[in-house]
């Protein structure tokens, strides 16, 4: 029934905006009534079926009200067959509430409270049997995929996926997520969220090749050299599809810098040589891409001009070799091009050119 039905024992508490509100909100009568009753139930700390039903009404009126979501979860625990020492929520109630959150989420895909509610409910589900937990997780990942089909860069959805996979830490899920991020990159190479998810799945997963079984400062496993070579090739392929796309270039630099820094910290001459070879190989491939791009650009009318993302990435890799004058001189020439082709960041490119000039003078 409506708000207040069978609630003769409750004295509604109206919202107190003070004696002279500066800008009173014109709530609908239904909104005022629902939240007045909710305040009364909150004050009485009544975690009953009618209190739970009232939260449904209130959340339909305002899905972003954190207090109502929190009270709803407390009602769910109180109405379930747990104990005071081990609070729980009945599976059937969890499933129904996930559906409720889904229904509200249709028009609120970026509502933080909705995503947190799903997480809080699933924390109870993830305490069950291992086979059942995996099934629950896969079902939730399918739900997230549905959201990402509508909005492929929804931060909440990607973050929720990461939480599920990290919580279960299941090799099957880690492996599947690498393939999932690949499918999203294929459908949109400019989806930086998908590139980030690939990095996450490769570095945080427990299926990573452990050739370099050392942890970096963030606690994530360093990619093996073999895996780094694969990922560098993967990134270059993505950059080839669209050289103006910043995502694969940043991914490439992340992979290469990780190998270089790890080798430098370890101080092992063989590791340094291997990481140096990988870097030089990628530099050579990018030079080839630049040459091909320049030739194609000159043949077009009007000319497309240099590719800023490509030039920027090449500079970032060349300057790693601070002791090699030829590389530094090449980087300086490229920065001169960038000053002309990227006027928005001209001062930044000039600053970097000045830094390289100082290295060349040493």
């Amino acid at each position: 029934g409506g708000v207040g039905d069978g609630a003769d024992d409750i004295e509604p508490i109206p919202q107190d905006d003070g004696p002279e509100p500066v800008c009173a909100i014109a709530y609908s009568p239904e909104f005022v009534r629902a939240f007045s009753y909710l305040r009364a139930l909150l004050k009485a700390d009544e975690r009953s079926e009618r209190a739970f039903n009232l939260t449904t009404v209130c959340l339909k009126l305002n899905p972003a009200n954190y207090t109502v979501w929190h009270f709803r979860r407390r009602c769910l625990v109180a109405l379930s067959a747990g104990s005071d020492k081990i609070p729980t929520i009945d599976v059937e109630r969890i499933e129904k509430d996930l559906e409720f959150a889904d229904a509200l989420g249709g028009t609120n895909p970026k509502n933080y409270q909705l995503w947190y509610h799903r997480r809080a409910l699933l924390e109870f589900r993830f305490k069950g049997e291992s086979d059942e937990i995996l099934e629950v997780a896969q079902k939730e990942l399918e739900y997230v995929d549905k959201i990402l089909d509508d909005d492929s860069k929804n931060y909440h959805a990607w973050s929720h996926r990461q939480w599920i996979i990290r919580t279960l830490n299941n090799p099957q899920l880690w492996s599947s997520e690498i393939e999932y991020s690949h499918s999203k990159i294929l459908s949109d190479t400019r989806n930086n969220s998908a590139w980030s998810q690939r990095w996450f799945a490769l570095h945080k997963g427990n299926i990573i090749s452990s050739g370099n079984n050392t942890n970096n400062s963030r606690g994530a496993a360093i990619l093996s050299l073999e895996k780094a070579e694969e990922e560098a090739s993967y990134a270059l392929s993505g950059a080839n599809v669209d050289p103006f796309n910043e995502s694969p270039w940043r991914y490439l630099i992340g992979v290469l810098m990780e190998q270089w820094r790890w080798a430098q910290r370890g101080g092992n001459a063989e590791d340094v040589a291997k990481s140096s070879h990988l870097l030089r190989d990628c530099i050579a491939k990018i030079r080839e891409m630049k040459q091909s791009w320049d030739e194609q650009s000159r043949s077009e009318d009007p000319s497309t001009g240099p590719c800023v993302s490509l030039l920027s990435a090449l500079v970032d890799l060349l300057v790693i070799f601070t002791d090699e004058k030829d590389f530094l001189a090449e980087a300086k020439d490229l920065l001169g091009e960038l000053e002309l082709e990227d006027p928005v960041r001209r001062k930044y490119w000039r600053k970097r050119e000045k830094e390289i000039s100082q290295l060349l003078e040493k």
Side-chain angles (χ1 to χ4, degrees), residues 263-292:
Q264 293 294 319
R265 279 202 302 269
N268 182 292
E270 186 181 353
D271 290 331
V272 172
K274 286 178 178 178
S275 64
S276 175
H277 176 76
L278 176 58
L279 271 162
R280 291 171 191 275
D281 183 54
C282 288
I283 287 171
K285 288 175 180 176
I286 298 171
R287 282 175 179 149
E288 289 174 9
M289 288 175 64
K290 180 182 181 302
Q291 184 179 353
S292 176

Side-chain angles (χ1 to χ4, degrees), residues 12-297:
I13 300 174
Q15 180 166 309
D16 184 5
D17 289 331
E20 297 178 7
V22 176
C23 185
I25 299 173
Y27 297 113
S28 68
E30 182 187 11
F31 189 102
V32 171
R33 193 159 182 247
F35 278 86
S36 294
Y37 274 102
L38 183 71
R39 289 185 201 96
L41 292 177
L42 279 167
K43 185 177 181 181
D45 194 22
E46 180 186 314
R47 287 168 270 168
S48 62
E49 197 70 55
R50 69 176 179 179
F52 174 76
N53 291 335
L54 182 55
T55 65
T56 301
V57 175
C58 291
L59 288 168
K60 286 178 179 177
L61 292 166
N62 180 10
N65 191 309
Y66 174 82
T67 302
V68 181
W69 283 111
H70 178 67
F71 184 53
R72 183 181 183 85
R73 287 190 290 276
R74 294 184 72 205
C75 289
L76 282 168
V77 171
L79 294 167
S80 296
S83 66
D84 291 337
K85 290 184 179 179
I86 308 176
T88 188
I89 301 177
D90 296 337
V91 171
E92 185 180 348
R93 284 187 176 274
I94 289 175
E95 293 303 315
K96 284 185 177 178
D97 233 49
L98 287 172
E99 290 174 11
F100 172 70
D102 183 16
L104 279 185
T107 52
N108 300 271
K110 294 185 179 177
N111 180 325
Y112 175 80
Q113 284 75 25
L114 273 165
W115 287 104
Y116 181 78
H117 187 64
R118 298 190 73 88
R119 175 171 171 168
L121 294 174
L122 287 165
E123 283 176 344
F124 286 101
R125 291 291 274 125
F126 288 165
K127 293 174 183 175
E129 298 295 324
S130 57
D131 291 345
E132 182 188 26
I133 290 172
L134 184 59
E135 189 178 327
V136 170
Q138 288 172 328
K139 182 181 177 182
E140 186 68 3
L141 289 171
E142 287 171 9
Y143 167 78
V144 178
D145 182 41
K146 183 183 73 173
I147 301 300
L148 290 172
D149 276 344
D150 291 333
D151 179 7
S152 63
K153 298 169 186 176
N154 185 321
Y155 173 80
H156 299 285
W158 284 111
S159 179
H160 193 59
R161 285 190 77 88
Q162 292 194 5
W163 171 75
I164 294 167
I165 294 164
R166 292 181 78 161
T167 301
L168 268 67
N169 199 27
N170 180 291
Q172 183 182 336
L173 293 183
W174 284 114
S175 181
S176 297
E177 198 63 12
I178 296 169
E179 292 305 312
Y180 180 78
S181 63
H182 173 60
S183 70
K184 289 298 181 186
I185 290 169
L186 284 181
S187 62
D188 177 11
T189 58
R190 287 180 176 251
N191 186 347
N192 194 53
S193 298
W195 284 96
S196 296
Q197 192 75 354
R198 185 177 182 86
W199 180 278
F200 160 78
L202 280 163
H203 284 76
K204 301 291 185 181
N206 57 10
I207 58 162
I208 299 169
S209 304
S210 56
N212 301 345
N213 57 0
T214 306
N215 284 348
N216 64 22
S217 59
R218 293 163 297 168
I222 302 287
L223 296 184
S224 68
L225 181 66
E226 182 183 7
K227 177 56 70 174
E229 288 170 349
E230 289 176 13
E231 290 306 297
S233 179
Y234 182 87
L236 284 169
S237 296
N240 247 322
V241 172
D242 179 5
F244 286 95
N245 178 13
E246 197 71 22
S247 297
W249 293 118
R250 294 303 108 192
Y251 187 87
L252 172 68
I253 289 167
V255 169
L256 297 177
M257 286 299 294
E258 177 182 73
Q259 291 297 308
W260 179 258
R261 286 169 179 161
W262 179 83
Q264 293 294 319
R265 279 202 302 269
N268 182 292
E270 186 181 353
D271 290 331
V272 172
K274 286 178 178 178
S275 64
S276 175
H277 176 76
L278 176 58
L279 271 162
R280 291 171 191 275
D281 183 54
C282 288
I283 287 171
K285 288 175 180 176
I286 298 171
R287 282 175 179 149
E288 289 174 9
M289 288 175 64
K290 180 182 181 302
Q291 184 179 353
S292 176
W293 179 265
D294 290 345
E295 289 172 0
Q296 178 186 328
S297 177

Side-chain angles (χ1 to χ4, degrees), residues 267-339:
N268 182 292
E270 186 181 353
D271 290 331
V272 172
K274 286 178 178 178
S275 64
S276 175
H277 176 76
L278 176 58
L279 271 162
R280 291 171 191 275
D281 183 54
C282 288
I283 287 171
K285 288 175 180 176
I286 298 171
R287 282 175 179 149
E288 289 174 9
M289 288 175 64
K290 180 182 181 302
Q291 184 179 353
S292 176
W293 179 265
D294 290 345
E295 289 172 0
Q296 178 186 328
S297 177
R298 282 194 295 269
S299 67
E300 293 175 350
D301 188 23
S303 173
T304 312
C307 176
V308 170
S309 297
L310 186 155
L311 296 179
S312 172
L314 186 50
V315 167
D316 286 343
L317 295 179
L318 288 168
V319 298
I320 291 172
F321 298 93
T322 53
D323 295 331
E324 302 205 18
K325 301 291 186 183
D326 289 349
F327 277 20
L328 293 177
E330 183 181 349
K332 184 178 178 182
D333 290 342
L334 292 171
L335 285 165
E337 279 191 67
L338 284 165
E339 287 172 28

